[in-house]
mmCIF file of all heavy atoms in Angstrom:
data_model
loop_
_atom_site.group_PDB
_atom_site.id
_atom_site.type_symbol
_atom_site.label_atom_id
_atom_site.label_comp_id
_atom_site.label_asym_id
_atom_site.label_seq_id
_atom_site.Cartn_x
_atom_site.Cartn_y
_atom_site.Cartn_z
ATOM 1 N N ILE A 26 -19.727 -62.667 7.317
ATOM 2 C CA ILE A 26 -19.270 -61.336 6.911
ATOM 3 C C ILE A 26 -18.309 -61.434 5.728
ATOM 4 O O ILE A 26 -18.379 -60.649 4.771
ATOM 5 C CB ILE A 26 -18.614 -60.608 8.092
ATOM 6 C CG1 ILE A 26 -19.676 -60.266 9.145
ATOM 7 C CG2 ILE A 26 -17.886 -59.345 7.638
ATOM 8 C CD1 ILE A 26 -19.118 -59.793 10.471
ATOM 9 N N ALA A 27 -17.397 -62.427 5.759
ATOM 10 C CA ALA A 27 -16.433 -62.592 4.668
ATOM 11 C C ALA A 27 -17.162 -62.915 3.364
ATOM 12 O O ALA A 27 -16.847 -62.341 2.305
ATOM 13 C CB ALA A 27 -15.437 -63.695 5.011
ATOM 14 N N TYR A 28 -18.122 -63.834 3.403
ATOM 15 C CA TYR A 28 -18.854 -64.193 2.190
ATOM 16 C C TYR A 28 -19.745 -63.057 1.710
ATOM 17 O O TYR A 28 -19.933 -62.867 0.505
ATOM 18 C CB TYR A 28 -19.675 -65.469 2.414
ATOM 19 C CG TYR A 28 -18.853 -66.726 2.222
ATOM 20 C CD1 TYR A 28 -18.396 -67.457 3.310
ATOM 21 C CD2 TYR A 28 -18.509 -67.167 0.943
ATOM 22 C CE1 TYR A 28 -17.631 -68.600 3.145
ATOM 23 C CE2 TYR A 28 -17.744 -68.316 0.754
ATOM 24 C CZ TYR A 28 -17.308 -69.020 1.857
ATOM 25 O OH TYR A 28 -16.535 -70.144 1.679
ATOM 26 N N HIS A 29 -20.276 -62.286 2.645
ATOM 27 C CA HIS A 29 -21.062 -61.118 2.255
ATOM 28 C C HIS A 29 -20.190 -60.121 1.509
ATOM 29 O O HIS A 29 -20.591 -59.550 0.492
ATOM 30 C CB HIS A 29 -21.679 -60.472 3.496
ATOM 31 C CG HIS A 29 -22.648 -59.370 3.186
ATOM 32 N ND1 HIS A 29 -22.283 -58.054 3.129
ATOM 33 C CD2 HIS A 29 -23.979 -59.401 2.900
ATOM 34 C CE1 HIS A 29 -23.334 -57.297 2.840
ATOM 35 N NE2 HIS A 29 -24.371 -58.086 2.694
ATOM 36 N N THR A 30 -18.960 -59.922 1.996
ATOM 37 C CA THR A 30 -18.027 -59.004 1.341
ATOM 38 C C THR A 30 -17.657 -59.506 -0.052
ATOM 39 O O THR A 30 -17.453 -58.707 -0.969
ATOM 40 C CB THR A 30 -16.758 -58.843 2.201
ATOM 41 O OG1 THR A 30 -17.131 -58.469 3.529
ATOM 42 C CG2 THR A 30 -15.851 -57.762 1.622
ATOM 43 N N LEU A 31 -17.589 -60.816 -0.212
ATOM 44 C CA LEU A 31 -17.276 -61.411 -1.514
ATOM 45 C C LEU A 31 -18.465 -61.363 -2.476
ATOM 46 O O LEU A 31 -18.321 -61.691 -3.654
ATOM 47 C CB LEU A 31 -16.841 -62.876 -1.323
ATOM 48 C CG LEU A 31 -15.433 -63.099 -0.780
ATOM 49 C CD1 LEU A 31 -15.254 -64.553 -0.357
ATOM 50 C CD2 LEU A 31 -14.384 -62.719 -1.820
ATOM 51 N N GLY A 32 -19.635 -60.972 -1.974
ATOM 52 C CA GLY A 32 -20.819 -60.906 -2.822
ATOM 53 C C GLY A 32 -21.597 -62.192 -2.886
ATOM 54 O O GLY A 32 -22.573 -62.304 -3.650
ATOM 55 N N ASN A 33 -21.207 -63.193 -2.097
ATOM 56 C CA ASN A 33 -21.928 -64.467 -2.053
ATOM 57 C C ASN A 33 -22.967 -64.385 -0.935
ATOM 58 O O ASN A 33 -22.772 -64.897 0.168
ATOM 59 C CB ASN A 33 -20.950 -65.622 -1.814
ATOM 60 C CG ASN A 33 -21.591 -66.988 -1.983
ATOM 61 O OD1 ASN A 33 -22.804 -67.123 -1.901
ATOM 62 N ND2 ASN A 33 -20.778 -67.993 -2.225
ATOM 63 N N PHE A 34 -24.075 -63.718 -1.237
ATOM 64 C CA PHE A 34 -25.044 -63.379 -0.195
ATOM 65 C C PHE A 34 -25.792 -64.606 0.323
ATOM 66 O O PHE A 34 -26.122 -64.665 1.508
ATOM 67 C CB PHE A 34 -26.014 -62.326 -0.713
ATOM 68 C CG PHE A 34 -25.338 -61.096 -1.256
ATOM 69 C CD1 PHE A 34 -25.628 -60.612 -2.522
ATOM 70 C CD2 PHE A 34 -24.380 -60.421 -0.494
ATOM 71 C CE1 PHE A 34 -24.995 -59.487 -3.022
ATOM 72 C CE2 PHE A 34 -23.737 -59.295 -0.986
ATOM 73 C CZ PHE A 34 -24.039 -58.827 -2.258
ATOM 74 N N GLN A 35 -26.063 -65.556 -0.565
ATOM 75 C CA GLN A 35 -26.775 -66.756 -0.110
ATOM 76 C C GLN A 35 -25.946 -67.541 0.901
ATOM 77 O O GLN A 35 -26.458 -68.021 1.917
ATOM 78 C CB GLN A 35 -27.139 -67.634 -1.308
ATOM 79 C CG GLN A 35 -28.240 -67.065 -2.199
ATOM 80 C CD GLN A 35 -29.597 -67.089 -1.521
ATOM 81 O OE1 GLN A 35 -29.748 -67.509 -0.376
ATOM 82 N NE2 GLN A 35 -30.623 -66.608 -2.220
ATOM 83 N N GLN A 36 -24.652 -67.696 0.594
ATOM 84 C CA GLN A 36 -23.786 -68.409 1.537
ATOM 85 C C GLN A 36 -23.658 -67.634 2.839
ATOM 86 O O GLN A 36 -23.655 -68.221 3.931
ATOM 87 C CB GLN A 36 -22.399 -68.608 0.929
ATOM 88 C CG GLN A 36 -21.455 -69.447 1.768
ATOM 89 C CD GLN A 36 -21.930 -70.871 1.947
ATOM 90 O OE1 GLN A 36 -22.047 -71.631 0.994
ATOM 91 N NE2 GLN A 36 -22.248 -71.242 3.183
ATOM 92 N N ALA A 37 -23.576 -66.316 2.738
ATOM 93 C CA ALA A 37 -23.506 -65.484 3.941
ATOM 94 C C ALA A 37 -24.744 -65.705 4.804
ATOM 95 O O ALA A 37 -24.653 -65.840 6.034
ATOM 96 C CB ALA A 37 -23.395 -64.010 3.557
ATOM 97 N N ILE A 38 -25.906 -65.756 4.167
ATOM 98 C CA ILE A 38 -27.157 -65.960 4.898
ATOM 99 C C ILE A 38 -27.140 -67.296 5.638
ATOM 100 O O ILE A 38 -27.583 -67.386 6.793
ATOM 101 C CB ILE A 38 -28.362 -65.860 3.949
ATOM 102 C CG1 ILE A 38 -28.595 -64.384 3.576
ATOM 103 C CG2 ILE A 38 -29.618 -66.467 4.570
ATOM 104 C CD1 ILE A 38 -29.578 -64.178 2.442
ATOM 105 N N GLU A 39 -26.625 -68.335 4.989
ATOM 106 C CA GLU A 39 -26.562 -69.643 5.633
ATOM 107 C C GLU A 39 -25.716 -69.588 6.912
ATOM 108 O O GLU A 39 -26.084 -70.133 7.952
ATOM 109 C CB GLU A 39 -25.997 -70.683 4.666
ATOM 110 C CG GLU A 39 -26.933 -71.033 3.530
ATOM 111 C CD GLU A 39 -28.303 -71.491 4.011
ATOM 112 O OE1 GLU A 39 -28.356 -72.355 4.918
ATOM 113 O OE2 GLU A 39 -29.307 -70.973 3.513
ATOM 114 N N TYR A 40 -24.585 -68.915 6.811
ATOM 115 C CA TYR A 40 -23.715 -68.802 7.988
ATOM 116 C C TYR A 40 -24.355 -67.939 9.076
ATOM 117 O O TYR A 40 -24.268 -68.239 10.268
ATOM 118 C CB TYR A 40 -22.348 -68.245 7.600
ATOM 119 C CG TYR A 40 -21.444 -69.261 6.955
ATOM 120 C CD1 TYR A 40 -20.903 -69.054 5.690
ATOM 121 C CD2 TYR A 40 -21.119 -70.438 7.622
ATOM 122 C CE1 TYR A 40 -20.072 -70.003 5.109
ATOM 123 C CE2 TYR A 40 -20.285 -71.390 7.045
ATOM 124 C CZ TYR A 40 -19.772 -71.155 5.784
ATOM 125 O OH TYR A 40 -18.959 -72.096 5.218
ATOM 126 N N PHE A 41 -25.000 -66.847 8.662
ATOM 127 C CA PHE A 41 -25.647 -65.986 9.653
ATOM 128 C C PHE A 41 -26.787 -66.713 10.363
ATOM 129 O O PHE A 41 -27.027 -66.506 11.557
ATOM 130 C CB PHE A 41 -26.173 -64.703 8.988
ATOM 131 C CG PHE A 41 -25.106 -63.728 8.575
ATOM 132 C CD1 PHE A 41 -25.238 -62.989 7.403
ATOM 133 C CD2 PHE A 41 -23.967 -63.561 9.343
ATOM 134 C CE1 PHE A 41 -24.258 -62.079 7.023
ATOM 135 C CE2 PHE A 41 -22.969 -62.653 8.964
ATOM 136 C CZ PHE A 41 -23.131 -61.927 7.800
ATOM 137 N N LYS A 42 -27.495 -67.569 9.636
ATOM 138 C CA LYS A 42 -28.576 -68.337 10.265
ATOM 139 C C LYS A 42 -28.005 -69.320 11.296
ATOM 140 O O LYS A 42 -28.600 -69.531 12.359
ATOM 141 C CB LYS A 42 -29.379 -69.080 9.192
ATOM 142 C CG LYS A 42 -30.337 -68.178 8.422
ATOM 143 C CD LYS A 42 -31.149 -68.956 7.413
ATOM 144 C CE LYS A 42 -32.179 -68.059 6.727
ATOM 145 N NZ LYS A 42 -32.960 -68.786 5.704
ATOM 146 N N GLN A 43 -26.860 -69.928 10.961
ATOM 147 C CA GLN A 43 -26.226 -70.831 11.930
ATOM 148 C C GLN A 43 -25.718 -70.055 13.135
ATOM 149 O O GLN A 43 -25.820 -70.525 14.282
ATOM 150 C CB GLN A 43 -25.097 -71.599 11.236
ATOM 151 C CG GLN A 43 -25.618 -72.639 10.255
ATOM 152 C CD GLN A 43 -24.511 -73.262 9.426
ATOM 153 O OE1 GLN A 43 -23.833 -72.585 8.655
ATOM 154 N NE2 GLN A 43 -24.304 -74.560 9.585
ATOM 155 N N GLN A 44 -25.170 -68.861 12.879
ATOM 156 C CA GLN A 44 -24.745 -67.996 13.975
ATOM 157 C C GLN A 44 -25.938 -67.669 14.872
ATOM 158 O O GLN A 44 -25.848 -67.777 16.108
ATOM 159 C CB GLN A 44 -24.160 -66.690 13.435
ATOM 160 C CG GLN A 44 -23.824 -65.657 14.498
ATOM 161 C CD GLN A 44 -23.630 -64.250 13.939
ATOM 162 O OE1 GLN A 44 -24.080 -63.944 12.832
ATOM 163 N NE2 GLN A 44 -22.957 -63.396 14.695
ATOM 164 N N LEU A 45 -27.059 -67.309 14.265
ATOM 165 C CA LEU A 45 -28.253 -66.934 15.026
ATOM 166 C C LEU A 45 -28.782 -68.108 15.849
ATOM 167 O O LEU A 45 -29.165 -67.951 17.018
ATOM 168 C CB LEU A 45 -29.337 -66.441 14.058
ATOM 169 C CG LEU A 45 -30.619 -65.927 14.671
ATOM 170 C CD1 LEU A 45 -30.355 -64.736 15.584
ATOM 171 C CD2 LEU A 45 -31.603 -65.525 13.569
ATOM 172 N N SER A 46 -28.775 -69.293 15.250
ATOM 173 C CA SER A 46 -29.256 -70.481 15.953
ATOM 174 C C SER A 46 -28.438 -70.738 17.220
ATOM 175 O O SER A 46 -28.994 -71.052 18.289
ATOM 176 C CB SER A 46 -29.182 -71.697 15.019
ATOM 177 O OG SER A 46 -29.547 -72.872 15.701
ATOM 178 N N ILE A 47 -27.138 -70.593 17.118
ATOM 179 C CA ILE A 47 -26.270 -70.836 18.270
ATOM 180 C C ILE A 47 -26.457 -69.770 19.341
ATOM 181 O O ILE A 47 -26.503 -70.068 20.538
ATOM 182 C CB ILE A 47 -24.795 -70.916 17.828
ATOM 183 C CG1 ILE A 47 -24.556 -72.209 17.041
ATOM 184 C CG2 ILE A 47 -23.847 -70.842 19.022
ATOM 185 C CD1 ILE A 47 -23.187 -72.320 16.414
ATOM 186 N N THR A 48 -26.576 -68.510 18.923
ATOM 187 C CA THR A 48 -26.752 -67.451 19.928
ATOM 188 C C THR A 48 -28.043 -67.655 20.723
ATOM 189 O O THR A 48 -28.091 -67.373 21.911
ATOM 190 C CB THR A 48 -26.770 -66.052 19.277
ATOM 191 O OG1 THR A 48 -27.843 -65.982 18.330
ATOM 192 C CG2 THR A 48 -25.463 -65.760 18.561
ATOM 193 N N LYS A 49 -29.068 -68.178 20.046
ATOM 194 C CA LYS A 49 -30.317 -68.470 20.752
ATOM 195 C C LYS A 49 -30.102 -69.624 21.744
ATOM 196 O O LYS A 49 -30.600 -69.584 22.872
ATOM 197 C CB LYS A 49 -31.409 -68.852 19.757
ATOM 198 C CG LYS A 49 -31.930 -67.689 18.932
ATOM 199 C CD LYS A 49 -33.018 -68.163 17.972
ATOM 200 C CE LYS A 49 -33.621 -67.005 17.198
ATOM 201 N NZ LYS A 49 -34.674 -67.467 16.252
ATOM 202 N N GLU A 50 -29.345 -70.621 21.300
ATOM 203 C CA GLU A 50 -29.122 -71.798 22.136
ATOM 204 C C GLU A 50 -28.334 -71.454 23.398
ATOM 205 O O GLU A 50 -28.619 -71.978 24.476
ATOM 206 C CB GLU A 50 -28.389 -72.868 21.335
ATOM 207 C CG GLU A 50 -28.244 -74.201 22.045
ATOM 208 C CD GLU A 50 -27.676 -75.277 21.156
ATOM 209 O OE1 GLU A 50 -27.739 -75.138 19.909
ATOM 210 O OE2 GLU A 50 -27.136 -76.260 21.701
#
């Protein structure tokens, strides 16, 4: 969310994918 707010969308996506992976686990 912080990186998305900063406009760094690619980095935000990387973090969100890691978040998603853990929530599935």
